[in-house]
Amino acid sequence: MAKLIFGTTEENVVTREEFPLAKAQDILKNEVVAVIGYGVQGPGQALNQKDNGINVIVGQRKNSKSWDKAVSDGFVPGETLFEIEEALERGTVICYLLSDAAQIALWPTVKKHLTPGKALYFSHGFGITFNEQTGIIPPADVDVFLVAPKGSGTSLRRMFLQGRGLNSSYAIFQDATGKAFERVIALGIAVGSGYLFETDFRKEVYSDLTGERGTLMGCIQGIFAAQYEVLRSNGHSPSESFNETVEELTQSLMPLVAENGMDWMYANCSTTAQRGALDWWKPFRDATKPVFEELYNSVATGKESQRSIDSNSKDDYREKLDAELAELRDSELWQAGKTVRSLRPENQAVEA
């Protein structure tokens, strides 16, 4: 394990150089990895493991859209695709990749198949950290750990197919066999991680819930909407407002940040842009920091987890979700974005 300096703090990191795929394959050669759930993370993690030579099977409800998707992705009913209970019985590593609400509902079934020596794998610390709300308390004689890719399952799969890797966090909650570390790292490499950094279940879920509600999704949508509305109210067209709010950020500036950092992006912009950014970033920080503090406290006290459980467990959850997403989809901001994206050269129809 490498020890690297992040800023001024030393952290433990596992890289593919010190833990190559061949080592992961050797560690997992006698394991049957059962991926339970084929929704957000399931396809990417299952397919990457399959392509990496791991003995992976999928557990999913028969005659569901996810079952059909698994079949179309190459998993074979009766060979590598099974009903959930049969997959749970066959698996020595249970990759529990259902939604948080679905994990709660299925937990009694999963628990009875966690025989001594098996491993219970998560990609989110939710169920374990908030076990007073979820009821997910594993037996003491199984390994419990997580690998949490820092991105969607779609991104994980795309980057794998490009020969790249998505960074992931890993954590061990319970080491019953004495082999939890080598098992979790091997699985982290097998699912397509570029490198793995150490955390624990509580920190993973606190940072994840804060990030999703903050800069990754909630905050960025709020900032987009605010700037777009100010530009529109001052007479700017929808296309100009969208381009200056979203398109330039996502297509031009964020790739520069990803490449070499924020300072490098600043250095590659006009001096006028530099001056404005340097003058205004602290006021934005000061304005939003109280909101982030409130958000983190809501996560840490269990308010966010309870709201998610209460909302996502309802029978009409998906219908209500579709209605809420429609507010975003049908807004002028994102309707303008749909047109702008269609005009990108790569999205233009090729002329005969």
Side-chain angles (χ1 to χ4, degrees):
M1 184 185 300
K3 292 186 179 294
L4 302 178
I5 301 296
F6 292 81
T8 59
T9 302
E10 185 178 79
E11 297 186 37
N12 294 324
V13 177
V14 180
T15 68
R16 288 194 282 189
E17 182 177 353
E18 62 178 299
F19 208 105
L21 177 59
K23 184 175 181 179
Q25 291 169 330
D26 185 61
I27 289 170
L28 298 174
K29 63 185 178 183
N30 296 320
E31 304 275 16
V32 177
V33 181
V35 173
I36 307 302
Y38 208 74
V40 177
Q41 280 287 336
Q45 293 202 29
L47 288 168
N48 289 358
Q49 289 185 79
K50 179 173 177 282
D51 289 350
N52 274 331
I54 307 303
N55 184 10
V56 58
I57 62 176
V58 171
Q60 186 57 49
R61 286 184 298 105
K62 206 168 187 177
N63 300 320
S64 66
K65 290 181 179 180
S66 295
W67 176 280
D68 294 341
K69 176 171 172 50
V71 171
S72 69
D73 285 344
F75 290 97
V76 180
E79 295 181 15
T80 55
L81 175 61
F82 303 92
E83 291 270 14
I84 289 175
E85 282 227 46
E86 185 171 356
L88 287 168
E89 184 176 349
R90 289 171 175 266
T92 60
V93 176
I94 308 302
C95 290
Y96 206 21
L97 302 181
L98 294 168
S99 69
D100 295 322
Q103 285 185 15
I104 296 170
L106 191 65
W107 176 244
T109 301
V110 173
K111 187 174 181 179
K112 72 180 183 181
H113 289 285
L114 290 174
T115 52
K118 285 193 176 186
L120 179 61
Y121 166 114
F122 294 89
S123 282
H124 193 22
F126 191 102
I128 294 292
T129 300
F130 300 112
N131 58 26
E132 291 185 0
Q133 296 169 337
T134 66
I136 296 177
I137 302 175
D141 51 11
V142 300
D143 291 343
V144 182
F145 43 66
L146 68 77
V147 172
K150 298 297 104 177
S152 69
T154 300
S155 297
L156 183 73
R157 181 60 177 167
R158 284 178 180 173
M159 293 176 74
F160 177 86
L161 293 174
Q162 294 167 358
R164 303 162 61 198
L166 187 65
N167 63 304
S168 303
S169 60
Y170 76 92
I172 297 171
F173 178 76
Q174 193 166 276
D175 184 4
T177 66
K179 298 179 179 178
F181 177 78
E182 66 177 28
R183 284 172 116 180
V184 69
I185 300 303
L187 286 159
I189 297 299
V191 301
S193 302
Y195 67 88
L196 295 123
F197 61 91
E198 187 178 36
T199 188
D200 60 43
F201 273 63
R202 181 183 63 82
K203 289 178 180 175
E204 190 283 329
V205 71
Y206 282 17
S207 61
D208 188 73
L209 292 182
T210 300
E212 289 170 346
R213 286 149 178 76
T215 58
L216 301 179
M217 296 174 69
C219 175
I220 198 70
Q221 167 61 23
I223 290 173
F224 283 163
Q227 179 170 302
Y228 182 87
E229 289 168 12
V230 167
L231 290 173
R232 289 289 287 126
S233 68
N234 281 279
H236 298 271
S237 68
S239 62
E240 183 171 59
S241 299
F242 184 87
N243 281 324
E244 293 295 341
T245 299
V246 178
E247 190 76 351
E248 187 172 354
L249 174 70
T250 58
Q251 297 300 295
S252 175
L253 300 183
M254 283 299 102
L256 296 181
V257 176
E259 188 175 345
N260 272 317
M262 186 68 76
D263 59 329
W264 194 74
M265 183 269 279
Y266 277 24
N268 283 273
C269 293
S270 71
T271 55
T272 301
Q274 292 170 7
R275 183 68 270 145
L278 291 169
D279 288 346
W280 278 93
W281 80 263
K282 289 180 181 178
F284 278 111
R285 176 200 61 189
D286 295 343
T288 59
K289 190 174 180 182
V291 181
F292 279 102
E293 289 171 340
E294 180 182 356
L295 167 57
Y296 191 87
N297 182 66
S298 187
V299 169
T301 57
K303 291 180 181 178
E304 292 300 307
S305 55
Q306 191 61 56
R307 173 159 171 72
S308 293
I309 292 169
D310 292 343
S311 173
N312 300 351
S313 298
K314 293 178 179 177
D315 292 338
D316 61 351
Y317 165 67
R318 294 208 174 273
E319 289 79 5
K320 289 184 175 179
L321 174 65
D322 287 342
E324 290 183 276
L325 291 175
E327 181 183 357
L328 298 180
R329 183 174 60 248
D330 298 338
S331 68
E332 186 187 86
L333 167 62
W334 292 110
Q335 285 298 306
K338 183 178 180 180
T339 303
V340 168
R341 288 190 296 275
S342 74
L343 296 173
R344 293 175 189 165
E346 65 270 22
N347 294 331
Q348 295 290 299
V350 178
E351 295 183 5

Short mmCIF file of all heavy atoms in Angstrom, two decimals, residues 140-197:
data_model
loop_
_atom_site.label_atom_id
_atom_site.label_comp_id
_atom_site.label_asym_id
_atom_site.label_seq_id
_atom_site.Cartn_x
_atom_site.Cartn_y
_atom_site.Cartn_z
N ALA A 140 -21.84 -11.94 12.60
CA ALA A 140 -20.45 -11.66 12.96
C ALA A 140 -19.44 -12.51 12.22
O ALA A 140 -18.24 -12.21 12.24
CB ALA A 140 -20.28 -11.85 14.47
N ASP A 141 -19.88 -13.57 11.54
CA ASP A 141 -18.93 -14.51 10.94
C ASP A 141 -18.78 -14.33 9.43
O ASP A 141 -18.36 -15.24 8.72
CB ASP A 141 -19.33 -15.96 11.26
CG ASP A 141 -20.79 -16.26 10.95
OD1 ASP A 141 -21.45 -15.42 10.29
OD2 ASP A 141 -21.27 -17.33 11.35
N VAL A 142 -19.11 -13.14 8.92
CA VAL A 142 -18.88 -12.83 7.51
C VAL A 142 -18.07 -11.53 7.40
O VAL A 142 -18.13 -10.68 8.28
CB VAL A 142 -20.20 -12.67 6.71
CG1 VAL A 142 -21.01 -13.95 6.76
CG2 VAL A 142 -21.02 -11.50 7.22
N ASP A 143 -17.29 -11.42 6.33
CA ASP A 143 -16.59 -10.17 6.04
C ASP A 143 -17.59 -9.14 5.53
O ASP A 143 -18.51 -9.48 4.77
CB ASP A 143 -15.51 -10.38 4.98
CG ASP A 143 -14.35 -11.23 5.46
OD1 ASP A 143 -14.19 -11.38 6.68
OD2 ASP A 143 -13.60 -11.74 4.60
N VAL A 144 -17.40 -7.90 5.93
CA VAL A 144 -18.26 -6.80 5.45
C VAL A 144 -17.36 -5.65 5.03
O VAL A 144 -16.55 -5.16 5.83
CB VAL A 144 -19.24 -6.33 6.53
CG1 VAL A 144 -20.14 -5.23 5.98
CG2 VAL A 144 -20.07 -7.49 7.07
N PHE A 145 -17.47 -5.23 3.77
CA PHE A 145 -16.62 -4.15 3.28
C PHE A 145 -17.32 -3.44 2.13
O PHE A 145 -18.40 -3.85 1.69
CB PHE A 145 -15.25 -4.67 2.84
CG PHE A 145 -15.26 -5.95 2.05
CD1 PHE A 145 -15.81 -6.00 0.78
CD2 PHE A 145 -14.69 -7.12 2.56
CE1 PHE A 145 -15.80 -7.17 0.03
CE2 PHE A 145 -14.67 -8.30 1.82
CZ PHE A 145 -15.23 -8.33 0.56
N LEU A 146 -16.70 -2.37 1.69
CA LEU A 146 -17.27 -1.63 0.56
C LEU A 146 -16.19 -1.19 -0.42
O LEU A 146 -15.04 -0.96 -0.04
CB LEU A 146 -18.09 -0.42 1.01
CG LEU A 146 -17.45 0.80 1.67
CD1 LEU A 146 -16.74 1.72 0.66
CD2 LEU A 146 -18.49 1.62 2.41
N VAL A 147 -16.59 -1.10 -1.67
CA VAL A 147 -15.85 -0.39 -2.72
C VAL A 147 -16.85 0.59 -3.33
O VAL A 147 -17.90 0.18 -3.83
CB VAL A 147 -15.31 -1.33 -3.81
CG1 VAL A 147 -14.71 -0.52 -4.96
CG2 VAL A 147 -14.27 -2.28 -3.23
N ALA A 148 -16.53 1.87 -3.23
CA ALA A 148 -17.46 2.90 -3.71
C ALA A 148 -16.81 3.68 -4.85
O ALA A 148 -16.01 4.59 -4.62
CB ALA A 148 -17.83 3.84 -2.56
N PRO A 149 -17.12 3.32 -6.10
CA PRO A 149 -16.60 4.10 -7.23
C PRO A 149 -17.09 5.54 -7.15
O PRO A 149 -18.26 5.78 -6.84
CB PRO A 149 -17.17 3.38 -8.46
CG PRO A 149 -17.47 1.99 -7.98
CD PRO A 149 -17.90 2.16 -6.55
N LYS A 150 -16.21 6.48 -7.43
CA LYS A 150 -16.57 7.90 -7.35
C LYS A 150 -17.18 8.38 -8.66
O LYS A 150 -16.66 9.25 -9.35
CB LYS A 150 -15.34 8.73 -6.98
CG LYS A 150 -14.73 8.40 -5.62
CD LYS A 150 -15.69 8.67 -4.47
CE LYS A 150 -16.32 7.45 -3.90
NZ LYS A 150 -17.20 7.75 -2.74
N GLY A 151 -18.30 7.76 -8.98
CA GLY A 151 -19.02 8.11 -10.19
C GLY A 151 -20.12 7.09 -10.43
O GLY A 151 -20.26 6.10 -9.71
N SER A 152 -20.91 7.32 -11.45
CA SER A 152 -22.02 6.43 -11.76
C SER A 152 -21.51 5.12 -12.34
O SER A 152 -20.37 5.01 -12.81
CB SER A 152 -22.96 7.09 -12.78
OG SER A 152 -22.31 7.20 -14.04
N GLY A 153 -22.38 4.11 -12.33
CA GLY A 153 -22.03 2.85 -12.96
C GLY A 153 -21.79 3.01 -14.45
O GLY A 153 -20.95 2.31 -15.04
N THR A 154 -22.51 3.94 -15.07
CA THR A 154 -22.31 4.22 -16.50
C THR A 154 -20.90 4.75 -16.74
O THR A 154 -20.21 4.30 -17.68
CB THR A 154 -23.34 5.25 -16.99
OG1 THR A 154 -24.66 4.72 -16.79
CG2 THR A 154 -23.13 5.57 -18.46
N SER A 155 -20.45 5.68 -15.90
CA SER A 155 -19.09 6.22 -16.04
C SER A 155 -18.05 5.14 -15.79
O SER A 155 -17.03 5.07 -16.49
CB SER A 155 -18.89 7.38 -15.07
OG SER A 155 -19.76 8.45 -15.36
N LEU A 156 -18.29 4.30 -14.79
CA LEU A 156 -17.37 3.21 -14.48
C LEU A 156 -17.17 2.31 -15.69
O LEU A 156 -16.04 1.94 -16.04
CB LEU A 156 -17.91 2.40 -13.29
CG LEU A 156 -17.03 1.26 -12.79
CD1 LEU A 156 -15.82 1.80 -12.04
CD2 LEU A 156 -17.84 0.33 -11.88
N ARG A 157 -18.26 1.96 -16.35
CA ARG A 157 -18.20 1.08 -17.52
C ARG A 157 -17.54 1.78 -18.71
O ARG A 157 -16.69 1.19 -19.39
CB ARG A 157 -19.61 0.62 -17.89
CG ARG A 157 -19.67 -0.34 -19.08
CD ARG A 157 -18.88 -1.61 -18.82
NE ARG A 157 -19.00 -2.56 -19.93
CZ ARG A 157 -18.22 -3.62 -20.08
NH1 ARG A 157 -17.27 -3.88 -19.19
NH2 ARG A 157 -18.37 -4.42 -21.11
N ARG A 158 -17.92 3.02 -18.97
CA ARG A 158 -17.35 3.75 -20.11
C ARG A 158 -15.84 3.89 -19.95
O ARG A 158 -15.08 3.69 -20.91
CB ARG A 158 -17.99 5.12 -20.22
CG ARG A 158 -19.40 5.11 -20.81
CD ARG A 158 -19.99 6.51 -20.84
NE ARG A 158 -21.34 6.52 -21.40
CZ ARG A 158 -22.12 7.58 -21.42
NH1 ARG A 158 -21.70 8.73 -20.91
NH2 ARG A 158 -23.32 7.52 -21.97
N MET A 159 -15.40 4.25 -18.76
CA MET A 159 -13.97 4.45 -18.54
C MET A 159 -13.22 3.13 -18.65
O MET A 159 -12.09 3.08 -19.15
CB MET A 159 -13.74 5.13 -17.20
CG MET A 159 -14.25 6.57 -17.15
SD MET A 159 -14.09 7.37 -15.54
CE MET A 159 -12.32 7.68 -15.52
N PHE A 160 -13.82 2.05 -18.20
CA PHE A 160 -13.21 0.72 -18.33
C PHE A 160 -13.00 0.38 -19.80
O PHE A 160 -11.93 -0.09 -20.20
CB PHE A 160 -14.11 -0.31 -17.65
CG PHE A 160 -13.61 -1.73 -17.78
CD1 PHE A 160 -12.70 -2.24 -16.87
CD2 PHE A 160 -14.06 -2.55 -18.81
CE1 PHE A 160 -12.24 -3.55 -16.99
CE2 PHE A 160 -13.60 -3.85 -18.94
CZ PHE A 160 -12.69 -4.35 -18.02
N LEU A 161 -14.03 0.61 -20.61
CA LEU A 161 -13.93 0.29 -22.03
C LEU A 161 -12.93 1.18 -22.76
O LEU A 161 -12.41 0.81 -23.81
CB LEU A 161 -15.31 0.42 -22.68
CG LEU A 161 -16.35 -0.62 -22.23
CD1 LEU A 161 -17.71 -0.30 -22.83
CD2 LEU A 161 -15.91 -2.02 -22.59
N GLN A 162 -12.65 2.35 -22.17
CA GLN A 162 -11.63 3.26 -22.73
C GLN A 162 -10.23 2.93 -22.22
O GLN A 162 -9.27 3.61 -22.58
CB GLN A 162 -11.98 4.70 -22.36
CG GLN A 162 -13.26 5.22 -23.01
CD GLN A 162 -13.74 6.52 -22.39
OE1 GLN A 162 -13.15 7.04 -21.44
NE2 GLN A 162 -14.83 7.06 -22.91
N GLY A 163 -10.12 1.90 -21.39
CA GLY A 163 -8.82 1.54 -20.83
C GLY A 163 -8.41 2.42 -19.68
O GLY A 163 -7.22 2.46 -19.32
N ARG A 164 -9.37 3.11 -19.09
CA ARG A 164 -9.10 4.00 -17.97
C ARG A 164 -9.68 3.40 -16.69
O ARG A 164 -10.24 2.30 -16.71
CB ARG A 164 -9.71 5.39 -18.23
CG ARG A 164 -9.20 6.04 -19.51
CD ARG A 164 -10.12 7.17 -19.95
NE ARG A 164 -10.19 8.22 -18.93
CZ ARG A 164 -11.14 9.14 -18.88
NH1 ARG A 164 -12.13 9.12 -19.76
NH2 ARG A 164 -11.13 10.08 -17.95
N GLY A 165 -9.53 4.10 -15.58
CA GLY A 165 -10.08 3.62 -14.33
C GLY A 165 -10.70 4.77 -13.55
O GLY A 165 -10.21 5.90 -13.58
N LEU A 166 -11.80 4.48 -12.86
CA LEU A 166 -12.46 5.46 -12.02
C LEU A 166 -11.98 5.26 -10.58
O LEU A 166 -11.98 4.13 -10.09
CB LEU A 166 -13.98 5.25 -12.10
CG LEU A 166 -14.88 6.27 -11.41
CD1 LEU A 166 -14.74 7.64 -12.07
CD2 LEU A 166 -16.33 5.80 -11.48
N ASN A 167 -11.53 6.32 -9.93
CA ASN A 167 -11.04 6.16 -8.56
C ASN A 167 -12.18 5.74 -7.64
O ASN A 167 -13.34 6.11 -7.84
CB ASN A 167 -10.37 7.43 -8.06
CG ASN A 167 -11.31 8.61 -7.96
OD1 ASN A 167 -11.94 8.97 -8.94
ND2 ASN A 167 -11.39 9.21 -6.81
N SER A 168 -11.87 4.96 -6.62
CA SER A 168 -12.86 4.43 -5.69
C SER A 168 -12.33 4.55 -4.26
O SER A 168 -11.12 4.57 -4.03
CB SER A 168 -13.16 2.95 -5.98
OG SER A 168 -13.61 2.75 -7.30
N SER A 169 -13.26 4.59 -3.32
CA SER A 169 -12.88 4.45 -1.92
C SER A 169 -13.13 3.01 -1.49
O SER A 169 -13.92 2.29 -2.11
CB SER A 169 -13.66 5.42 -1.03
OG SER A 169 -15.05 5.18 -1.13
N TYR A 170 -12.43 2.57 -0.44
CA TYR A 170 -12.69 1.25 0.11
C TYR A 170 -12.71 1.36 1.63
O TYR A 170 -12.11 2.25 2.23
CB TYR A 170 -11.64 0.23 -0.33
CG TYR A 170 -10.30 0.35 0.38
CD1 TYR A 170 -10.04 -0.39 1.54
CD2 TYR A 170 -9.32 1.21 -0.07
CE1 TYR A 170 -8.83 -0.26 2.21
CE2 TYR A 170 -8.11 1.33 0.59
CZ TYR A 170 -7.87 0.60 1.72
OH TYR A 170 -6.68 0.72 2.38
N ALA A 171 -13.45 0.45 2.25
CA ALA A 171 -13.54 0.44 3.71
C ALA A 171 -13.86 -0.98 4.16
O ALA A 171 -14.56 -1.73 3.47
CB ALA A 171 -14.59 1.41 4.21
N ILE A 172 -13.35 -1.33 5.33
CA ILE A 172 -13.64 -2.63 5.94
C ILE A 172 -14.41 -2.38 7.23
O ILE A 172 -13.93 -1.69 8.12
CB ILE A 172 -12.35 -3.42 6.22
CG1 ILE A 172 -11.63 -3.72 4.90
CG2 ILE A 172 -12.67 -4.72 6.97
CD1 ILE A 172 -10.24 -4.29 5.09
N PHE A 173 -15.59 -2.95 7.32
CA PHE A 173 -16.42 -2.82 8.52
C PHE A 173 -16.21 -4.02 9.45
O PHE A 173 -16.23 -3.88 10.67
CB PHE A 173 -17.89 -2.71 8.12
CG PHE A 173 -18.83 -2.62 9.29
CD1 PHE A 173 -18.96 -1.43 10.01
CD2 PHE A 173 -19.60 -3.71 9.67
CE1 PHE A 173 -19.83 -1.34 11.08
CE2 PHE A 173 -20.48 -3.63 10.74
CZ PHE A 173 -20.59 -2.44 11.45
N GLN A 174 -15.98 -5.18 8.84
CA GLN A 174 -15.88 -6.41 9.64
C GLN A 174 -14.95 -7.39 8.92
O GLN A 174 -15.16 -7.70 7.75
CB GLN A 174 -17.29 -7.01 9.78
CG GLN A 174 -17.45 -8.09 10.80
CD GLN A 174 -18.93 -8.35 11.07
OE1 GLN A 174 -19.55 -7.66 11.86
NE2 GLN A 174 -19.48 -9.35 10.40
N ASP A 175 -13.93 -7.86 9.62
CA ASP A 175 -12.98 -8.83 9.06
C ASP A 175 -13.10 -10.13 9.82
O ASP A 175 -12.40 -10.37 10.80
CB ASP A 175 -11.56 -8.28 9.13
CG ASP A 175 -10.54 -9.20 8.46
OD1 ASP A 175 -10.95 -10.23 7.89
OD2 ASP A 175 -9.34 -8.90 8.54
N ALA A 176 -14.01 -10.99 9.37
CA ALA A 176 -14.26 -12.25 10.07
C ALA A 176 -13.29 -13.34 9.64
O ALA A 176 -12.98 -14.24 10.43
CB ALA A 176 -15.69 -12.70 9.81
N THR A 177 -12.80 -13.26 8.40
CA THR A 177 -11.97 -14.33 7.86
C THR A 177 -10.48 -14.05 7.95
O THR A 177 -9.67 -14.95 7.74
CB THR A 177 -12.30 -14.58 6.38
OG1 THR A 177 -11.91 -13.42 5.62
CG2 THR A 177 -13.79 -14.85 6.18
N GLY A 178 -10.12 -12.80 8.25
CA GLY A 178 -8.72 -12.40 8.20
C GLY A 178 -8.25 -12.09 6.79
O GLY A 178 -7.08 -11.74 6.59
N LYS A 179 -9.15 -12.19 5.84
CA LYS A 179 -8.81 -11.94 4.43
C LYS A 179 -9.61 -10.80 3.83
O LYS A 179 -9.66 -10.63 2.61
CB LYS A 179 -9.03 -13.21 3.60
CG LYS A 179 -8.16 -14.39 4.04
CD LYS A 179 -8.45 -15.61 3.19
CE LYS A 179 -7.56 -16.78 3.62
NZ LYS A 179 -7.86 -18.02 2.82
N ALA A 180 -10.28 -10.01 4.67
CA ALA A 180 -11.15 -8.94 4.16
C ALA A 180 -10.38 -7.94 3.32
O ALA A 180 -10.88 -7.47 2.29
CB ALA A 180 -11.87 -8.25 5.31
N PHE A 181 -9.16 -7.59 3.75
CA PHE A 181 -8.41 -6.58 3.01
C PHE A 181 -8.09 -7.06 1.59
O PHE A 181 -8.35 -6.33 0.62
CB PHE A 181 -7.10 -6.22 3.73
CG PHE A 181 -6.25 -5.24 2.96
CD1 PHE A 181 -6.56 -3.89 2.94
CD2 PHE A 181 -5.15 -5.67 2.23
CE1 PHE A 181 -5.80 -2.99 2.21
CE2 PHE A 181 -4.38 -4.78 1.50
CZ PHE A 181 -4.70 -3.44 1.49
N GLU A 182 -7.54 -8.26 1.46
CA GLU A 182 -7.19 -8.70 0.11
C GLU A 182 -8.43 -8.94 -0.74
O GLU A 182 -8.42 -8.71 -1.95
CB GLU A 182 -6.32 -9.97 0.16
CG GLU A 182 -6.99 -11.20 0.71
CD GLU A 182 -6.08 -12.42 0.66
OE1 GLU A 182 -4.84 -12.24 0.72
OE2 GLU A 182 -6.60 -13.55 0.55
N ARG A 183 -9.53 -9.33 -0.13
CA ARG A 183 -10.76 -9.52 -0.88
C ARG A 183 -11.31 -8.18 -1.39
O ARG A 183 -11.69 -8.06 -2.56
CB ARG A 183 -11.82 -10.20 0.00
CG ARG A 183 -11.61 -11.67 0.22
CD ARG A 183 -12.60 -12.21 1.26
NE ARG A 183 -13.52 -13.19 0.72
CZ ARG A 183 -14.47 -13.80 1.42
NH1 ARG A 183 -14.63 -13.50 2.70
NH2 ARG A 183 -15.26 -14.68 0.85
N VAL A 184 -11.36 -7.19 -0.53
CA VAL A 184 -11.95 -5.91 -0.94
C VAL A 184 -11.09 -5.21 -1.99
O VAL A 184 -11.61 -4.63 -2.95
CB VAL A 184 -12.22 -4.99 0.27
CG1 VAL A 184 -10.94 -4.46 0.89
CG2 VAL A 184 -13.11 -3.82 -0.14
N ILE A 185 -9.77 -5.27 -1.83
CA ILE A 185 -8.90 -4.62 -2.82
C ILE A 185 -8.98 -5.35 -4.17
O ILE A 185 -9.03 -4.73 -5.23
CB ILE A 185 -7.46 -4.55 -2.32
CG1 ILE A 185 -7.38 -3.74 -1.02
CG2 ILE A 185 -6.56 -3.92 -3.38
CD1 ILE A 185 -7.94 -2.32 -1.13
N ALA A 186 -8.99 -6.69 -4.12
CA ALA A 186 -9.11 -7.46 -5.36
C ALA A 186 -10.40 -7.11 -6.09
O ALA A 186 -10.42 -6.93 -7.32
CB ALA A 186 -9.05 -8.95 -5.06
N LEU A 187 -11.48 -6.99 -5.35
CA LEU A 187 -12.76 -6.62 -5.96
C LEU A 187 -12.73 -5.20 -6.49
O LEU A 187 -13.29 -4.90 -7.55
CB LEU A 187 -13.89 -6.80 -4.94
CG LEU A 187 -14.26 -8.26 -4.67
CD1 LEU A 187 -14.98 -8.38 -3.33
CD2 LEU A 187 -15.13 -8.81 -5.80
N GLY A 188 -12.07 -4.30 -5.75
CA GLY A 188 -11.94 -2.93 -6.22
C GLY A 188 -11.21 -2.84 -7.54
O GLY A 188 -11.62 -2.08 -8.44
N ILE A 189 -10.15 -3.62 -7.70
CA ILE A 189 -9.43 -3.66 -8.97
C ILE A 189 -10.30 -4.30 -10.05
O ILE A 189 -10.37 -3.83 -11.18
CB ILE A 189 -8.10 -4.43 -8.81
CG1 ILE A 189 -7.18 -3.72 -7.82
CG2 ILE A 189 -7.43 -4.61 -10.17
CD1 ILE A 189 -6.78 -2.31 -8.21
N ALA A 190 -11.00 -5.37 -9.69
CA ALA A 190 -11.80 -6.12 -10.66
C ALA A 190 -12.95 -5.30 -11.23
O ALA A 190 -13.32 -5.46 -12.39
CB ALA A 190 -12.33 -7.40 -10.02
N VAL A 191 -13.54 -4.41 -10.43
CA VAL A 191 -14.68 -3.62 -10.94
C VAL A 191 -14.22 -2.44 -11.78
O VAL A 191 -15.04 -1.75 -12.38
CB VAL A 191 -15.60 -3.12 -9.80
CG1 VAL A 191 -16.15 -4.28 -9.00
CG2 VAL A 191 -14.92 -2.09 -8.91
N GLY A 192 -12.90 -2.19 -11.83
CA GLY A 192 -12.41 -1.14 -12.72
C GLY A 192 -11.91 0.11 -12.04
O GLY A 192 -11.87 1.18 -12.67
N SER A 193 -11.50 0.01 -10.77
CA SER A 193 -10.97 1.18 -10.08
C SER A 193 -9.60 1.55 -10.61
O SER A 193 -8.76 0.68 -10.85
CB SER A 193 -10.87 0.91 -8.57
OG SER A 193 -12.11 0.55 -8.02
N GLY A 194 -9.37 2.85 -10.77
CA GLY A 194 -8.04 3.32 -11.16
C GLY A 194 -7.09 3.24 -9.98
O GLY A 194 -5.96 2.80 -10.10
N TYR A 195 -7.56 3.67 -8.83
CA TYR A 195 -6.86 3.49 -7.56
C TYR A 195 -7.90 3.50 -6.47
O TYR A 195 -9.07 3.85 -6.69
CB TYR A 195 -5.80 4.58 -7.35
CG TYR A 195 -6.35 5.98 -7.14
CD1 TYR A 195 -6.69 6.45 -5.87
CD2 TYR A 195 -6.53 6.85 -8.22
CE1 TYR A 195 -7.18 7.73 -5.68
CE2 TYR A 195 -7.02 8.13 -8.04
CZ TYR A 195 -7.35 8.57 -6.77
OH TYR A 195 -7.84 9.84 -6.58
N LEU A 196 -7.51 3.08 -5.27
CA LEU A 196 -8.45 2.98 -4.15
C LEU A 196 -7.90 3.72 -2.96
O LEU A 196 -6.75 3.51 -2.57
CB LEU A 196 -8.68 1.52 -3.78
CG LEU A 196 -9.35 0.67 -4.86
CD1 LEU A 196 -8.47 -0.52 -5.21
CD2 LEU A 196 -10.71 0.17 -4.40
N PHE A 197 -8.70 4.60 -2.38
CA PHE A 197 -8.26 5.32 -1.19
C PHE A 197 -9.08 4.88 0.02
O PHE A 197 -10.24 4.52 -0.08
CB PHE A 197 -8.33 6.84 -1.38
CG PHE A 197 -9.70 7.40 -1.67
CD1 PHE A 197 -10.53 7.82 -0.64
CD2 PHE A 197 -10.14 7.52 -2.98
CE1 PHE A 197 -11.79 8.35 -0.90
CE2 PHE A 197 -11.40 8.06 -3.26
CZ PHE A 197 -12.22 8.46 -2.21
#
